[in-house]
């Protein structure tokens, strides 16, 4: 991969430089000025050349025009911003994780999202193995004018305690209308269809069927064999079309094979036939009108999507309104409001447990035909026949025995999809109102109120007839049940700012902001479930509980942060810029004495092209440097003991034990960062280069809980401890190899490398458990290592040779070893864009090097005999001597028989380190072909602009090392987005057609 990517970059850069030099004299277009205006922290507009820190702006068109609509704008940032690592998964309506400049806190963290200067919630909700997505998916991408990524501490220092993980600033569009001042109407419509990328789904062996050994378990009375029904593996007898066997459908009265023994052969329709081709339909209309001093824009968008899994559907309606109006020549107002209504059914289950994908990837029988399972479900779920005798329609391949049709380990996947589905409804509203009064020509006052509210109501069903499993509040094993979660989040911000600008001399001026903010956050969550199962099948209500439900699990808090800030920007002769900011925060989640803290920043930018007068060949050159501090406050309820109700006993309320000891002297965590960089433009912007180097030190990490001895009455304690360092480089390269009247070719390259180290944790503690994986592997913050250390069992070595256990002939395993790390070596992206008259073509190559992944699927699936490599040649029919040495150093000579339940390549023989894979990838992430109809063709119609595009996403995984899965497709968002491949949905190649008409 290294040779491929290095060669590709060298070829692109060298050819672009050559062509650019050849084309320079032919370039008749007007030189593009570098002094563009970008939106920075608090919605403050600045000349880009004056900034002393790295930021990267992406225009709205670059986000959406070249790809399908993912429904989550976070996913569409992938591969476009240096230093921004985007991890997407394949969960229906699921999360996209964002990480800027490495992991800065031991518990993980996402950047702050800001819309028009006001923060909004981007929390990820994942519970009971369901990924409900992150709140950024509520933003209508049609509203987005641009996104500016504030990467470092200096860029985000004005957000104080919320700026630790960087900031993504979204600027919404203003109404424009037609040139004649009349209303403008834009109508857009898109149809998208996905096709499974087969490289991300298992390739099954077709030589052996159900069982854990190559023997049939039981015989029927006529002497014919019964299949190994209750064995959820394919290490069974060899297929033989002349051999008749009673299989699962031989006992289904509605099957054509009822009472019959059928040929012992591999299934015609494997698990890949379970999936649909997901389709999405997106329609939007925008009404806008605008002129100086007043404009309005209204947008409505509807998105209807069907997922890969049967019975999965999402319907999202988004309404937005933005009004700018000058009440007087000196009094300006802005109002913006967006509302999202979303209904989702059939989200995919993640992780292990009852996720059908873990069955398909780990525990399956290759003789089972999916279409037969579908017909069995449809026939038996009929209300006229569904009963306890047929598990109310749950006729499964994995019956306990010939005489017992109950599920041994797995439900019928169609029963799971259509009966045990989840559903959720989400309401989201973000609104702000702002007024600005021009006191003087150089002083203005702005007042602003913003309100962000989201309601989520999620329901989980376990239908009567299901495989009994842990469910609900008690987590007791039941055969049916109903649970619901209600979550309300609100954030209210009150801002008052004074903007000033003064000319000290004709060539020296100062400008800035003095302001304050009051922020209130409210959270309310309730979780309730039935206990003991459902009384009446199919009625999903808390009142339909066989036993008395437990007390509702409730969580509520209100927090407040009061802030003041001041900025000063000095401009010397348009050649040197010096900026300073200072913010003080007061947090309600810390005790007095520690709850007031401040964050400074200072930046400088030197315009060398002005000083050296290089505009004839280097039209812009800037040197920049900065130092800043940002932080993060504590979560609620870290300072005092808090109790959770556990029900009533004899009329007396009882409460769960307190296992985490609070810390009275808790302080905010703090990050200190310095950054240097340069920006250079050659040949009238035909070649642009932006380089940044940074180093960040995060201290006073808030650990909750830090493990302690249970002898003191607690198992953990909240504490300030630990230090994480990050350092890295970011490079952005822009090339315009060809630029003429009709044809333009643009190349945009970004590349970044971050080095992370957990410097220390706490005296006596060298490892902090972050997450645990099925298969005996854990994700850790380990002293001296990069965050994301994977710990599990490894081989035992003697003189570099793997040691064999002389008692078993299997590898001798060494537990609790470092076996990998999830941190990538580098990330990057290359976009090529071509335009010729009305035609446009673009494609984006997205790359990641490194970042280890533990595959629980391979850990189990190789041992259960699913994958093709377990049935090559006589692999299963001969004894295997594993390569290695015995403890005395002699070569291993102990043979393993694989005939009877002993795979030499799965978890029964290999340590977990054998299933660590390099998570590198190269993807054709986006591609599009568009055509804008000529004006002459539209003459005489009410349409003044029309465009049609064919777009695609995830079209080709050019390179990957993780077998049978997408190395990006982790369990969910947040901490679940790092290093764990288990039961993932296959990736789809998405194709779409977009049409846009402007009237």
């Amino acid at each position: 991969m290294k040779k491929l990517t290095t060669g590709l970059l060298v070829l692109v850069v060298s050819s672009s430089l050559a062509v650019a030099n050849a084309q320079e004299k032919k370039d008749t277009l007007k030189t593009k000025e570098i002094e563009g205006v970008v939106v920075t922290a608090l919605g403050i507009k600045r000349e880009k050349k004056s900034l002393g820190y790295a930021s990267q702006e992406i225009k709205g068109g670059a986000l959406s025009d070249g790809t399908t609509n993912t429904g989550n704008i976070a996913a569409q940032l992938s591969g476009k911003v240096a230093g921004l690592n985007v991890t997407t998964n394949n969960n229906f309506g699921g999360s996209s994780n964002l990480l800027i400049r490495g992991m800065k806190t031991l518990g993980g963290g996402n950047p702050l999202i800001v819309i028009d200067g006001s923060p909004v919630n981007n929390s990820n909700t994942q519970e009971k193995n369901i990924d409900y997505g992150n709140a950024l998916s509520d933003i209508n991408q049609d509203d987005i004018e641009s996104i500016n990524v504030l990467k470092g501490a200096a860029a985000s220092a004005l957000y104080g305690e919320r700026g630790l993980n960087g900031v993504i600033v979204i600027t919404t569009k203003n109404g424009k209308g037609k040139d004649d001042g009349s209303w403008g109407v834009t109508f857009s419509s898109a149809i998208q269809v996905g096709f499974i990328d087969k490289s991300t789904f298992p390739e099954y062996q077709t030589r052996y069927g159900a069982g854990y050994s190559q023997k049939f378990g039981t015989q029927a009375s006529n002497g014919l064999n019964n299949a190994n029904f209750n064995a959820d593996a394919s290490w069974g007898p060899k297929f033989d079309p002349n051999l008749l066997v009673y299989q699962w459908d031989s006992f289904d009265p509605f099957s054509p094979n009822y009472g019959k023994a059928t040929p012992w052969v591999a299934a015609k329709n494997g698990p890949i036939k379970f999936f649909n081709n997901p389709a999405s339909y997106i329609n939007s209309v925008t009404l806008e009108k605008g002129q100086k001093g007043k404009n309005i824009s209204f947008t409505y968008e509807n998105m209807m999507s069907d997922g890969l899994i049967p019975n999965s559907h999402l319907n999202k309606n988004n309404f937005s309104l933005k009004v700018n109006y000058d009440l007087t020549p000196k009094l300006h107002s802005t109002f913006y409001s967006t509302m999202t209504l979303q209904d989702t059914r059939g989200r995919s289950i993640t992780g292990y447990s009852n996720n059908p994908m873990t069955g398909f990837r780990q525990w399956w029988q290759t003789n089972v035909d999916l279409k037969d399972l579908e017909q069995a479900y449809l026939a038996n779920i009929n209300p006229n026949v569904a009963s306890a005798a047929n598990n109310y329609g749950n006729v499964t391949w994995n019956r306990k025995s010939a005489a017992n049709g109950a599920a041994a380990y797995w439900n019928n996947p169609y029963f799971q999809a259509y009966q045990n589905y989840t559903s959720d409804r989400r309401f989201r509203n973000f609104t702000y109102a702002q007024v600005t009064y021009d006191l003087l020509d150089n002083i203005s006052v702005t007042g602003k109120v913003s309100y962000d509210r989201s309601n989520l109501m999620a329901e989980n069903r376990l239908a009567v007839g299901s495989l009994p499993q842990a469910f609900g509040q008690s987590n007791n094993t039941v055969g049916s049940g109903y649970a619901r979660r209600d979550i309300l989040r609100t954030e209210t911000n009150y801002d008052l700012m004074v903007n000033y600008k003064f000319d000290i001399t004709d060539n020296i001026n100062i400008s800035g902001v003095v302001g304050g903010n009051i922020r209130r956050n409210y959270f309310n969550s309730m979780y309730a479930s039935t206990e003991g199962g459902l009384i009446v099948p199919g009625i999903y209500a808390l009142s339909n509980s066989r036993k008395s439900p437990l007390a509702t699990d409730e969580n509520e808090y209100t927090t407040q942060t009061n802030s003041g800030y001041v900025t000063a920007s000095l401009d010397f002769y348009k050649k040197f810029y010096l900026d300073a900011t200072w913010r003080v925060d007061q947090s309600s989640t810390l005790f007095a004495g520690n709850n007031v803290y401040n964050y400074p920043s200072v930046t400088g930018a030197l315009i060398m092209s002005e000083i050296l007068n290089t505009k004839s060949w280097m039209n812009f050159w800037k040197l920049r440097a900065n130092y800043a501090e940002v932080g993060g406050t504590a979560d609620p309820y870290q300072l005092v003991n808090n109790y959770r109700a556990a029900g009533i006993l004899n009329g007396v309320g009882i409460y769960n034990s307190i296992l985490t000891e609070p810390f009275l002297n808790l302080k905010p965590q703090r990050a200190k960062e310095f950054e240097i960089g340069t920006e250079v433009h050659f040949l009238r912007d035909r070649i642009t280069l932006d380089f940044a180097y940074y180093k960040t030190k995060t201290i006073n990490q808030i650990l909750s809980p830090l493990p302690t001895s249970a002898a003191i009455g607690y198992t953990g304690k909240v504490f300030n401890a630990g230090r994480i360092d990050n350092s890295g480089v970011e490079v952005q390269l822009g090339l315009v190899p060809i630029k003429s009247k009709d044809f333009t070719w643009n190349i945009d390259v970004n590349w970044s490398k971050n080095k992370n180290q957990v410097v220390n944790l706490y005296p006596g503690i060298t490892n902090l458990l972050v997450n645990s994986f099925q298969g005996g592997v854990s994700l850790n913050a380990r002293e001296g290592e990069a965050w994301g250390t994977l710990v599990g069992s490894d081989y035992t070595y003697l003189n570099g040779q793997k040691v064999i256990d002389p008692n078993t002939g299997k590898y001798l395993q060494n537990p609790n070893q470092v076996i990998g790390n999830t941190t990538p070596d580098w990330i990057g992206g290359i976009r090529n864009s071509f335009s010729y008259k009305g035609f446009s073509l673009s494609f984006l190559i997205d790359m990641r090097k490194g970042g280890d992944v533990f595959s629980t699927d391979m850990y189990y699936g190789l041992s259960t005999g699913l994958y093709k490599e377990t049935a090559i040649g006589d692999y299963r029919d001969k004894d295997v001597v594993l390569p290695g040495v015995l403890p005395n150093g002699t070569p291993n000579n102990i043979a393993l028989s694989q005939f009877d339940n002993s795979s030499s390549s799965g978890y029964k023989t290999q340590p977990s380190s054998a299933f660590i894979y390099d998570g590198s990838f190269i993807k054709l992430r986006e591609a599009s072909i568009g055509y804008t109809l000529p004006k002459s063709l539209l003459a005489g119609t009410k349409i003044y602009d029309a465009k049609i595009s064919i777009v695609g996403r995830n079209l080709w995984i050019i390179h990957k090392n993780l077998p049978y899965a997408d190395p990006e497709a982790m369990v969910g968002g947040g901490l679940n987005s790092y290093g764990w491949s288990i039961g993932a949905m296959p990736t789809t190649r998405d194709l779409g057609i977009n049409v846009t008409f402007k009237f």
Side-chain angles (χ1 to χ4, degrees):
M1 176 179 173
K2 183 177 180 181
K3 290 183 179 179
L4 173 63
T5 53
T6 303
L8 180 62
L9 285 171
V10 170
L11 176 63
V12 169
V13 173
S14 59
S15 62
S16 299
L17 287 170
V19 178
N21 277 307
Q23 287 283 323
E24 183 192 1
K25 294 182 180 179
K26 299 179 182 179
D27 187 355
T28 60
L29 298 183
K30 197 173 185 179
T31 301
K32 184 179 180 181
E33 293 293 332
I34 186 61
E35 293 88 352
V37 175
V38 295
V39 179
T40 62
L42 304 178
I44 300 170
K45 293 182 179 180
R46 295 287 305 275
E47 282 186 288
K48 189 177 187 297
K49 76 171 187 178
S50 70
L51 301 180
Y53 51 77
S55 70
Q56 188 171 344
E57 185 181 50
I58 307 294
K59 295 296 185 182
L63 284 169
S64 57
D65 288 351
T67 182
T68 58
N69 189 329
T70 63
N72 190 337
I73 199 65
Q76 289 167 218
L77 288 168
S78 185
K80 294 175 178 149
V81 179
L84 174 62
N85 190 8
V86 182
T87 304
T88 60
N89 61 51
N90 301 326
N91 302 331
F92 183 55
S95 305
S96 293
N97 196 69
L98 302 173
L99 183 67
I100 300 176
R101 289 188 172 178
M103 189 65 69
K104 299 182 181 66
T105 61
L106 295 169
N110 285 321
L112 176 66
I113 308 299
V114 174
I115 297 180
D116 292 344
S118 296
V120 298
N121 168 44
N122 186 37
S123 58
N124 161 257
T125 303
Q126 184 161 341
E127 186 178 33
K128 302 292 184 182
N129 292 330
I130 302 295
D131 177 11
Y132 292 100
N134 54 302
L136 195 55
S137 62
D138 295 329
I139 297 174
N140 182 2
Q141 68 181 37
D142 286 341
D143 285 348
I144 297 175
E145 179 71 29
S146 65
I147 291 181
N148 196 20
V149 180
L150 307 182
K151 304 174 185 179
S156 59
L158 278 176
Y159 289 105
E161 67 175 30
R162 308 183 87 183
L164 180 63
N165 296 300
V167 181
I168 293 180
V169 177
I170 298 173
T171 301
T172 61
K173 298 175 181 177
N174 293 320
K176 294 180 181 178
K178 295 182 180 180
D179 294 338
D180 61 5
S182 62
W183 285 91
V185 180
T186 301
F187 173 75
S188 297
S189 184
I191 300 175
Q192 301 169 182
V193 181
F195 304 89
I196 290 178
D197 182 341
K198 293 184 178 180
S199 73
T200 64
F201 196 72
E203 292 184 56
Y204 298 97
Q205 56 84 13
T206 58
R207 296 180 62 197
Y208 303 86
Y212 279 98
S213 73
Q214 293 187 39
K215 301 174 184 176
F216 289 104
T218 61
Q219 286 187 336
S221 58
N222 60 1
L224 295 179
N225 291 310
N226 289 319
N228 295 304
F229 308 110
N230 66 343
D232 52 350
S234 293
W235 203 266
K238 279 186 180 179
F239 289 128
D240 181 351
N242 298 314
L243 184 65
L244 297 180
V245 176
Y246 288 105
Q247 302 190 52
W248 67 272
D249 54 353
S250 302
F251 303 90
D252 175 15
F254 296 96
S255 169
N257 295 325
Y258 180 59
K260 301 176 184 177
T262 54
W264 185 238
V265 294
K268 179 181 178 180
N269 299 293
I272 201 168
K273 296 294 186 179
F274 178 67
F275 303 104
N276 298 322
N277 290 114
S280 296
Y281 307 89
I282 304 105
N283 294 284
S284 69
V285 60
T286 298
L287 306 176
E288 54 184 336
K289 185 177 183 180
Q291 60 187 58
K292 186 177 180 180
K294 55 182 178 180
N295 56 71
I296 183 172
S297 176
F298 172 79
T299 299
Y300 166 69
E301 181 190 62
N302 171 257
M303 181 178 193
M304 294 186 294
S305 296
D306 294 318
L308 270 169
I309 292 180
N311 196 38
S312 57
H313 181 76
L314 181 151
N315 187 15
K316 179 164 64 174
N317 291 284
N318 190 292
F319 306 84
S320 63
L321 173 68
K322 187 173 186 181
V323 180
N324 294 288
Y325 192 79
D326 290 349
L327 300 170
T328 73
K330 289 190 173 185
L331 185 60
H332 321 284
S333 66
T334 300
F335 174 83
Y336 175 77
S337 183
T338 180
M339 180 176 66
T340 301
L341 303 171
Q342 178 174 308
D343 288 335
T344 308
R345 181 180 69 241
R347 291 184 186 269
S348 51
I349 301 171
T350 65
Y352 195 68
S353 189
N354 57 342
N355 177 4
M357 284 305 304
T358 57
F360 294 161
R361 291 182 179 274
Q362 301 170 22
W363 313 98
W364 185 251
Q365 296 177 356
T366 55
N367 51 286
V368 174
D369 192 294
L370 260 291
K371 290 300 179 183
D372 290 344
L373 280 174
E374 181 179 23
Q375 293 305 312
Y377 165 74
L378 293 174
N380 284 275
I381 200 64
N382 187 318
N384 297 321
V385 300
S387 66
N390 65 355
N391 302 314
Y392 294 91
N394 186 20
V395 175
T396 177
W397 57 275
N398 190 218
R399 57 190 293 128
K400 287 187 175 182
S401 67
N404 186 349
Y409 302 106
W410 298 95
N411 295 319
N412 182 310
Y414 291 94
F415 182 90
Q416 182 71 28
Y418 284 99
Q419 301 300 317
N420 292 344
Y421 64 92
T422 65
S423 63
D424 58 271
R425 294 193 297 271
R426 185 160 70 203
F427 167 82
R428 178 76 178 274
N429 172 247
F430 170 69
T431 299
Y432 73 81
Q434 172 182 304
V435 293
T436 298
Y437 184 71
D438 300 326
L439 283 174
L440 302 170
D441 290 341
N442 52 2
I443 298 178
S444 64
V445 179
T446 298
K448 185 178 185 180
V449 177
S450 65
Y451 181 71
D452 183 17
R453 179 188 181 99
S454 64
N455 296 75
L456 174 68
M457 195 277 276
E459 299 176 284
N460 198 3
R461 298 165 179 81
L462 184 64
V464 174
S466 299
L467 173 74
Q469 59 191 263
F471 186 86
Q473 280 185 270
S474 66
N475 222 31
N476 290 332
T477 299
V478 293
S480 62
Y482 169 74
R484 65 176 288 177
R485 168 74 74 178
D486 293 84
I487 299 176
L488 168 64
R489 291 184 175 94
T490 70
E491 176 171 326
T492 308
N493 282 275
Y494 305 91
D495 290 279
L496 182 64
M497 296 184 290
V498 177
N499 293 265
Y500 65 89
K501 183 175 182 180
F502 296 99
D503 292 331
I504 300 174
T505 70
D506 290 342
N507 295 303
I508 302 174
N509 65 61
I510 183 172
S511 60
V513 177
V514 178
N517 168 266
I518 297 174
R519 171 169 58 90
R520 290 196 180 102
N521 289 88
Y522 175 75
F523 176 85
N524 185 294
S525 172
M526 294 189 294
Y527 180 75
S529 68
T530 59
E531 290 295 331
L534 300 175
I535 300 172
V536 180
I539 302 297
Y540 296 102
L542 297 175
S543 58
N544 191 30
S545 178
R546 284 191 174 274
K547 297 181 179 179
S548 297
L550 299 180
T552 301
D553 181 33
E554 298 179 82
N555 188 19
E556 181 181 34
Y557 63 77
T558 301
T559 64
Q560 180 167 317
T561 301
N562 304 320
S563 307
Y565 48 84
V566 59
T567 76
S569 302
L570 286 164
D571 173 1
F572 298 90
Y573 292 84
K574 302 295 181 183
K575 298 178 181 179
F576 176 59
Y577 298 88
L578 180 65
D579 286 26
T581 72
W582 180 78
R583 175 167 175 141
V584 60
D585 289 334
Q586 181 188 45
S587 173
S588 66
T589 60
L590 300 171
F591 276 134
N594 291 334
N595 69 335
V596 178
Y597 36 88
N598 60 82
Y599 301 105
S601 80
V602 59
T603 72
L606 191 62
I607 313 302
M608 297 299 296
S609 53
E610 294 286 346
I611 296 172
L612 302 177
N613 193 21
T614 62
K615 288 192 174 182
S616 61
W617 60 280
M618 182 171 62
N619 53 299
F620 184 78
W621 178 22
K622 177 173 72 172
L623 297 177
R624 61 177 187 261
N626 63 71
Y627 172 82
E629 298 183 15
V630 289
T633 191
D635 291 333
Y637 303 133
Q638 304 293 301
L639 306 178
V640 295
N641 287 328
N642 57 90
Y643 300 87
R644 191 170 297 277
I648 299 175
L649 179 63
N650 296 327
V652 178
I654 55 176
Y655 296 86
N656 291 327
S657 300
I658 303 300
L659 299 178
T660 301
E661 181 183 5
F663 183 49
L664 301 182
N665 197 34
L666 198 63
K667 300 176 182 178
Q669 50 195 357
R670 197 175 194 89
K672 302 178 180 181
E673 180 181 280
F674 81 86
E675 174 192 321
I676 58 173
T678 186
E679 185 177 354
V680 189
H681 292 224
F682 295 99
L683 308 175
R684 292 185 285 178
D685 296 346
R686 300 290 291 277
I687 305 172
T688 62
L689 176 68
D690 192 300
F691 172 85
Y693 170 79
Y694 61 88
K695 188 168 185 178
T696 308
K697 176 175 68 175
T698 309
I699 58 175
N700 285 341
Q701 301 277 302
I702 297 177
L703 305 184
S704 177
L706 182 71
T708 59
S709 171
I712 65 173
Y714 300 98
T715 59
K717 182 175 183 176
V718 181
F719 221 89
N720 283 119
R723 170 183 161 187
I724 292 183
D725 286 0
N726 285 274
S727 61
V729 295
E730 297 164 350
V731 180
Q732 301 169 50
L733 175 66
L735 302 170
V736 187
I738 302 174
K739 187 176 183 180
S740 64
K741 180 181 178 181
D742 294 325
F743 181 70
T744 302
W745 175 18
N746 288 285
I747 303 173
D748 296 296
V749 180
N750 71 82
W751 181 89
S752 59
K753 178 180 179 63
N754 182 79
K755 182 180 179 181
N756 176 281
Q757 184 181 29
V758 179
V759 178
N760 57 62
L761 291 172
Y762 187 75
I765 295 177
T766 59
N767 188 82
L768 182 68
L769 177 66
V770 177
N771 203 359
S772 296
F773 302 161
Q774 186 80 21
V777 174
S778 61
L779 179 71
N780 302 267
R782 197 175 182 96
E783 198 168 279
E785 303 278 346
W787 185 98
T789 300
L790 296 174
V791 174
S793 60
D794 197 1
Y795 298 98
T796 298
Y797 290 94
L798 178 65
N799 298 324
Q801 298 289 314
K802 299 172 183 176
V803 179
I804 303 296
D805 186 339
N807 298 315
T808 63
K810 301 178 181 180
Y811 287 112
L812 194 62
Q813 299 186 16
N814 191 7
N816 199 34
Q817 299 298 303
V818 174
I819 58 176
N821 194 284
T822 63
T823 302
D825 299 330
W826 54 262
I827 56 176
I830 304 174
R831 176 182 285 278
N832 279 267
S833 304
F834 306 87
S835 64
Y836 176 71
K837 295 185 177 179
F839 291 93
S840 63
L841 168 68
S842 70
F843 62 91
L844 170 67
I845 304 294
D846 192 5
M847 297 174 285
R848 182 177 75 190
K849 176 67 171 66
D852 292 323
V853 174
F854 172 67
S855 174
T856 306
D857 298 329
M858 299 300 290
Y859 177 82
Y860 287 125
L862 286 173
S863 185
T864 58
L866 295 188
Y867 300 121
K868 64 177 183 179
E869 50 264 59
T870 67
I872 297 174
D874 57 354
Y875 176 78
R876 298 196 188 186
D877 302 321
K878 65 178 182 178
D879 292 347
V880 174
V881 177
L882 297 176
V885 297
L886 297 173
N888 61 10
T890 61
N892 177 39
N893 59 1
I894 302 174
L896 286 177
S897 171
Q898 299 198 110
F899 185 85
D900 190 6
N901 196 24
S902 293
S903 167
S904 63
S905 58
Y907 76 99
K908 296 175 183 176
T909 305
Q910 308 281 349
S912 50
S913 62
F915 309 98
I916 295 291
Y917 298 89
D918 174 24
S920 302
F921 64 76
I922 303 176
K923 294 185 176 184
L924 177 56
R925 178 73 73 183
E926 300 176 1
S928 69
I929 301 174
Y931 179 63
T932 300
L933 275 64
K935 301 294 184 182
S936 58
L937 192 63
L938 302 174
T941 71
K942 293 184 177 295
I943 302 172
Y944 71 90
D945 192 26
K947 183 178 181 180
I948 183 169
S949 301
I950 299 174
V951 295
R953 185 172 182 83
N954 294 328
L955 296 177
W956 180 22
I957 300 180
I958 302 169
H959 169 82
K960 70 181 180 76
N961 300 304
L962 178 65
Y964 308 130
D966 188 332
E968 278 192 288
M970 299 298 102
V971 175
L975 295 177
N976 287 318
S977 62
Y978 299 97
W980 190 17
S981 179
I982 179 172
M985 299 286 289
T987 297
T988 58
R989 296 184 172 107
D990 299 323
L991 292 171
I993 298 177
N994 299 344
V995 293
T996 300
F997 299 100
K998 293 185 177 181
F999 301 90

